[in-house]
Amino acid sequence: MKVEFAPLSLPLQRRLQTASVVQWVFSFLGLAQCCTAAFIALFFTRFWLVSALYTAWWFIDREKPSKGGRRIHTIRNSIIWRYMRDYFPITLVKTAELDPRQNYLMGFHPHGVLAAGAFLNFCTEASGFSTLFPGITPHLMMLSLWFRIPFFRDYLMSGGLVSSDKESASYVLQKPGGGNVLAIIVGGAQEALDARPGSYTLLLKNRKGFVRLAIQHGAPLVPVFSFGENDLFEQVRNPKGSWLRQLQHRLQQIMGISLPLFHARGIFQYSFGLIPYRRPIYTVVGKPIPVQKKHRASEEEVDQIHQKYLNELSKLFEEHKAKYNIPEDRHLEFI
């Protein structure tokens, strides 16, 4: 006998959606600290052996974040991520086919405050990445320092996150047989400091390391623009040259991460809090840009492909902006 369940009421659905986003925000703002505290605290309890054994495992497994990570499909397919998708909602838009016999390097723009679109589209199956791009396995790069945190590192790898170093990138891009995507948020943590509603400024003009990687491995470049990514949070005004911006840059140089002072709505009210606004995100994947493999490319060759990438990214933005309510007079600005 087939058992059918009644659909959830709209208020309950919205509460579950909010709860899924709360746990995601917490995972990036507080889970790392909680994991570190738990790891240390266990040494002073009768469960000290848990931390001792994990330390041994951590040492043996230390190179895994640079060797493709360790994805867990049960976690990637969790219903939690589908609730998170529906909260905004987030939609992954395909504009061209990707040949599963090749490896690709995707440039994701913009970073936003917490890179919600990048995480949900590439680290979960909520938006249907594997359905849209069959035979392709996504890997999203994240700052290496996060993989030094006990327990938290395993949570990150379960979704397909890998460390952001050259060795890690090369491991994915040179995998035999193809079928792999390395997604890089090119603007990085520094770009997050300019993430605010209505901003289309990308830190990309002088960032060419990802182009050199693509040339070295002969991996086609795929531009990706996430419409709405910057609209999820407000940010305390921090113009260049201000004392706040200088402090943020200094902290970034010391810690390796940026600290945007952001705010949006609360859990039970809409006036103030750290929960993102319910605003749609459309992550549009552009067509691949062919790249000829060359061990040592000249600066001129790198500049040529980099400029082609900028042109294709701008073209992608211009072709789709009207669909997502971007004013006609707004254009991408590269700094």
Side-chain angles (χ1 to χ4, degrees):
M1 183 177 67
K2 185 178 179 180
V3 179
E4 295 186 359
F5 297 93
L8 298 175
S9 65
L10 183 58
L12 180 56
Q13 288 183 43
R14 292 178 71 86
R15 283 195 287 270
L16 289 172
Q17 291 165 9
T18 302
S20 69
V21 172
V22 169
Q23 70 82 27
W24 169 72
V25 172
F26 169 74
S27 71
F28 283 94
L29 298 184
L31 186 56
Q33 292 88 335
C34 290
C35 287
T36 303
F39 175 75
I40 296 172
L42 284 172
F43 275 113
F44 300 94
T45 71
R46 59 179 177 174
F47 302 107
W48 62 270
L49 189 58
V50 173
S51 287
L53 290 174
Y54 185 86
T55 301
W57 162 252
W58 190 1
F59 178 78
I60 296 170
D61 196 55
R62 64 189 182 280
E63 294 184 357
K64 195 63 177 177
S66 297
K67 301 293 183 183
R70 184 187 300 103
R71 66 188 57 234
I72 300 175
H73 293 289
T74 302
I75 294 179
R76 283 180 58 89
N77 287 282
S78 173
I79 193 173
I80 292 174
W81 309 127
R82 295 198 291 275
Y83 283 124
M84 177 180 168
R85 173 199 65 195
D86 295 337
Y87 172 89
F88 295 100
I90 296 178
T91 305
L92 183 62
V93 181
K94 172 184 175 180
T95 65
E97 296 291 340
L98 296 185
D99 186 351
R101 293 171 296 181
Q102 284 190 298
N103 294 323
Y104 297 87
L105 195 158
M106 279 187 178
F108 182 92
H109 315 272
H111 184 287
V113 171
L114 294 179
F119 174 82
L120 192 130
N121 287 309
F122 301 130
C123 298
T124 82
E125 287 298 331
S127 59
F129 184 95
S130 295
T131 302
L132 287 173
F133 302 102
I136 304 290
T137 301
H139 305 264
L140 178 64
M141 299 194 87
M142 190 175 188
L143 284 173
S144 301
L145 68 89
W146 294 112
F147 295 94
R148 299 170 190 162
I149 301 173
F151 305 125
F152 188 62
R153 67 189 292 275
D154 301 282
Y155 166 73
L156 296 176
M157 286 193 291
S158 68
L161 285 156
V162 295
S163 61
S164 59
D165 53 61
K166 191 174 181 179
E167 178 189 359
S168 178
S170 296
Y171 183 88
V172 174
L173 293 176
Q174 67 187 10
K175 274 190 172 183
N180 294 278
V181 157
L182 180 69
I184 301 177
I185 307 177
V186 182
Q190 189 175 344
E191 191 176 79
L193 299 177
D194 287 314
R196 49 177 47 85
S199 173
Y200 303 103
T201 300
L202 302 181
L203 188 61
L204 186 57
K205 192 174 182 179
N206 296 312
R207 298 218 163 182
K208 302 176 184 178
F210 73 105
V211 175
R212 292 188 178 91
L213 266 176
I215 296 174
Q216 181 183 346
H217 298 283
L221 284 165
V222 183
V224 179
F225 193 86
S226 198
F227 292 89
E229 192 74 45
N230 282 342
D231 298 335
L232 304 185
F233 297 94
E234 304 287 349
Q235 190 171 165
V236 174
R237 193 169 180 274
N238 59 342
K240 292 180 180 179
S242 66
W243 68 268
L244 177 57
R245 189 61 167 254
Q246 291 175 3
L247 176 61
Q248 289 172 323
H249 275 306
R250 182 59 180 162
L251 290 174
Q252 182 190 346
Q253 292 172 350
I254 297 172
M255 303 169 61
I257 57 175
S258 64
L259 296 172
L261 298 180
F262 63 90
H263 61 90
R265 52 158 288 192
I267 299 175
F268 304 109
Q269 44 76 33
Y270 296 88
S271 300
F272 187 84
L274 298 179
I275 309 304
Y277 295 121
R278 283 181 178 267
R279 293 174 179 170
I281 296 175
Y282 298 93
T283 303
V284 183
V285 180
K287 64 180 181 180
I289 302 170
V291 175
Q292 184 177 0
K293 185 175 181 179
K294 197 167 186 178
H295 183 62
R296 288 187 179 179
S298 66
E299 284 301 314
E300 184 180 353
E301 290 171 318
V302 171
D303 290 343
Q304 184 179 5
I305 295 177
H306 182 261
Q307 186 58 52
K308 187 173 183 179
Y309 181 87
L310 296 183
N311 294 341
E312 288 297 323
L313 181 60
S314 295
K315 183 180 177 182
L316 183 71
F317 178 83
E318 296 296 331
E319 288 179 347
H320 292 85
K321 67 181 184 181
K323 301 176 188 176
Y324 308 123
N325 301 316
I326 308 298
E328 181 63 31
D329 61 347
R330 299 309 302 272
H331 309 284
L332 292 183
E333 179 186 359
F334 302 120
I335 59 173

